[in-house]
Amino acid sequence: MTDLIAKDAFDRLPEQYRKRAREIAARVRDIDAVLKPCEPAKIGEAVVRMFRQFRDQPGVDHADMAAEYRTACFDLPEWAVSEAANDFLAGRVENHTGQFMPTCAEFARRARHILTPILAERSALRVEAGKLVERAEDDRRRHLIELERHDPNVRDRVAALAESAAAGGLKRGALTHTGLSAEKQSRLDALKRPRSFESKITTTRIGKGEARNAR
């Protein structure tokens, strides 16, 4: 438990979050148990199974091959090694022709691919455990806010603040319109009158030439 949540943090959690923390810890223990590395002999058994069905890789020494398999798979659980061998024997591995023995790297890669879902689950559980304290604190804050909202004194104080803010704001119609003097109004009206359009073409050189030709 302490590797997921510190003891002092766990003690401060509400019971519902303590329960979830215990569930996470139990599941992580189960996952760690099934990820226990296998014995070297089990790796050898998987290699022998494949060796009986596939051809030898050209120029490979059997003793060296066995040693490299043990090195590549030393941290893998027995069931993942067995499943990887089953996948190669059943032709479920892409890019493998099904003729030659897989290399130790190919075999270990397949076994680790099989572990991907369970490793992802363990990682997600650890992340969730790390956020339990934060979630509990958020719930506590929301609870306090909800209590304040239902407190009559708080409601009265909020209403008083709203009324005070409204009273201090600008009221509609408070500003009076002084209007314009007659002189200013007439000047504005003059600007609004449409001006007559006078063409300037007749004053240009081309326009004057056309006028002479017309005569």
Side-chain angles (χ1 to χ4, degrees):
M1 177 71 74
T2 55
D3 62 327
L4 298 174
I5 303 176
K7 185 178 184 306
D8 58 338
F10 176 82
D11 293 339
R12 295 195 305 269
L13 289 175
E15 181 54 34
Q16 66 183 88
Y17 287 100
R18 291 186 185 183
K19 179 181 178 182
R20 180 55 184 162
R22 296 187 190 99
E23 293 172 352
I24 292 175
R27 179 56 182 164
V28 170
R29 283 195 299 269
D30 292 342
I31 293 176
D32 289 341
V34 299
L35 292 177
K36 179 183 177 182
C38 67
E39 298 294 331
K42 298 300 180 180
I43 301 174
E45 291 177 5
V47 173
V48 170
R49 286 175 57 202
M50 293 186 295
F51 183 74
R52 290 172 179 170
Q53 302 298 326
F54 298 131
R55 301 177 185 176
D56 281 348
Q57 292 281 356
V60 174
D61 181 78
H62 290 173
D64 290 342
M65 180 183 68
E68 293 300 331
Y69 263 86
R70 287 193 295 269
T71 301
C73 304
F74 79 97
D75 59 338
L76 296 173
E78 177 183 345
W79 63 271
V81 171
S82 178
E83 285 299 315
N86 291 340
D87 287 347
F88 275 102
L89 292 171
R92 291 192 291 262
V93 181
E94 296 181 2
N95 301 325
H96 185 255
T97 62
Q99 298 184 32
F100 294 97
M101 276 286 293
T103 65
C104 59
E106 291 173 334
F107 185 82
R109 184 186 305 115
R110 184 64 183 184
R112 296 183 194 283
H113 175 73
I114 293 171
L115 293 178
T116 299
I118 195 168
L119 291 176
E121 180 186 359
R122 184 178 66 174
S123 177
L125 289 172
R126 288 185 173 276
V127 171
E128 182 184 354
K131 293 184 177 180
L132 285 178
V133 175
E134 181 180 348
R135 288 173 54 192
E137 183 62 21
D138 288 343
D139 282 352
R140 187 186 70 83
R141 293 194 188 100
R142 282 192 290 267
H143 179 66
L144 292 176
I145 292 173
E146 192 65 23
L147 289 177
E148 287 185 355
R149 287 178 178 174
H150 290 83
D151 187 346
N153 295 329
V154 173
R155 288 186 175 183
D156 293 342
R157 186 165 64 252
V158 171
L161 289 173
E163 183 178 355
S164 175
L170 293 176
K171 297 182 179 179
R172 183 177 297 179
L175 296 178
T176 58
H177 180 62
T178 57
L180 298 174
S181 64
E183 180 183 358
K184 290 182 179 180
Q185 187 63 52
S186 62
R187 290 173 60 184
L188 288 175
D189 293 341
L191 293 174
K192 295 178 183 178
R193 293 173 184 170
R195 297 181 180 180
S196 59
F197 176 75
E198 296 181 2
S199 176
K200 302 295 184 180
I201 294 178
T202 56
T203 61
T204 63
R205 182 170 57 84
I206 296 176
K208 292 178 180 178
E210 291 180 351
R212 285 195 299 270
N213 294 335
R215 290 197 297 269

